[in-house]
PDB file of all heavy atoms in Angstrom:
ATOM      1  N   LEU A  75      -9.333  65.330-100.911  1.00  0.00           N
ATOM      2  CA  LEU A  75      -9.141  64.002-101.523  1.00  0.00           C
ATOM      3  C   LEU A  75      -9.050  62.909-100.468  1.00  0.00           C
ATOM      4  O   LEU A  75      -9.654  61.844-100.591  1.00  0.00           O
ATOM      5  CB  LEU A  75      -7.872  64.001-102.383  1.00  0.00           C
ATOM      6  CG  LEU A  75      -8.046  64.623-103.777  1.00  0.00           C
ATOM      7  CD1 LEU A  75      -6.694  64.701-104.458  1.00  0.00           C
ATOM      8  CD2 LEU A  75      -9.037  63.823-104.607  1.00  0.00           C
ATOM      9  N   LYS A 140     -57.682  18.397 -94.484  1.00  0.00           N
ATOM     10  CA  LYS A 140     -56.348  18.251 -93.887  1.00  0.00           C
ATOM     11  C   LYS A 140     -55.776  19.612 -93.543  1.00  0.00           C
ATOM     12  O   LYS A 140     -56.094  20.602 -94.200  1.00  0.00           O
ATOM     13  CB  LYS A 140     -55.389  17.564 -94.875  1.00  0.00           C
ATOM     14  CG  LYS A 140     -55.655  16.085 -95.013  1.00  0.00           C
ATOM     15  CD  LYS A 140     -54.670  15.452 -95.987  1.00  0.00           C
ATOM     16  CE  LYS A 140     -54.857  13.943 -95.968  1.00  0.00           C
ATOM     17  NZ  LYS A 140     -54.493  13.305 -97.221  1.00  0.00           N
ATOM     18  N   GLN A 201     -52.318  20.736 -83.787  1.00  0.00           N
ATOM     19  CA  GLN A 201     -53.326  21.598 -84.363  1.00  0.00           C
ATOM     20  C   GLN A 201     -54.535  20.753 -84.727  1.00  0.00           C
ATOM     21  O   GLN A 201     -54.444  19.881 -85.576  1.00  0.00           O
ATOM     22  CB  GLN A 201     -52.724  22.289 -85.598  1.00  0.00           C
ATOM     23  CG  GLN A 201     -53.616  23.321 -86.170  1.00  0.00           C
ATOM     24  CD  GLN A 201     -54.083  24.241 -85.070  1.00  0.00           C
ATOM     25  OE1 GLN A 201     -53.331  25.039 -84.550  1.00  0.00           O
ATOM     26  NE2 GLN A 201     -55.342  24.095 -84.682  1.00  0.00           N
ATOM     27  N   VAL A 244     -33.676  17.248 -83.901  1.00  0.00           N
ATOM     28  CA  VAL A 244     -34.741  16.809 -84.801  1.00  0.00           C
ATOM     29  C   VAL A 244     -36.007  16.552 -83.990  1.00  0.00           C
ATOM     30  O   VAL A 244     -35.945  16.007 -82.884  1.00  0.00           O
ATOM     31  CB  VAL A 244     -34.297  15.569 -85.624  1.00  0.00           C
ATOM     32  CG1 VAL A 244     -33.873  14.421 -84.739  1.00  0.00           C
ATOM     33  CG2 VAL A 244     -35.384  15.127 -86.600  1.00  0.00           C
ATOM     34  N   VAL A 256     -22.809  20.184 -85.027  1.00  0.00           N
ATOM     35  CA  VAL A 256     -22.469  20.387 -86.447  1.00  0.00           C
ATOM     36  C   VAL A 256     -21.687  21.682 -86.576  1.00  0.00           C
ATOM     37  O   VAL A 256     -22.091  22.705 -86.022  1.00  0.00           O
ATOM     38  CB  VAL A 256     -23.750  20.469 -87.318  1.00  0.00           C
ATOM     39  CG1 VAL A 256     -23.392  20.810 -88.769  1.00  0.00           C
ATOM     40  CG2 VAL A 256     -24.540  19.166 -87.251  1.00  0.00           C
ATOM     41  N   ALA A 260     -17.994  28.828 -93.726  1.00  0.00           N
ATOM     42  CA  ALA A 260     -18.506  29.765 -94.729  1.00  0.00           C
ATOM     43  C   ALA A 260     -18.549  29.141 -96.117  1.00  0.00           C
ATOM     44  O   ALA A 260     -17.562  28.581 -96.582  1.00  0.00           O
ATOM     45  CB  ALA A 260     -17.630  31.009 -94.748  1.00  0.00           C
TER      46      ALA A 260
END
Side-chain angles (χ1 to χ4, degrees):
L75 280 174
K140 286 181 173 152
Q201 187 50 72
V244 57
V256 175

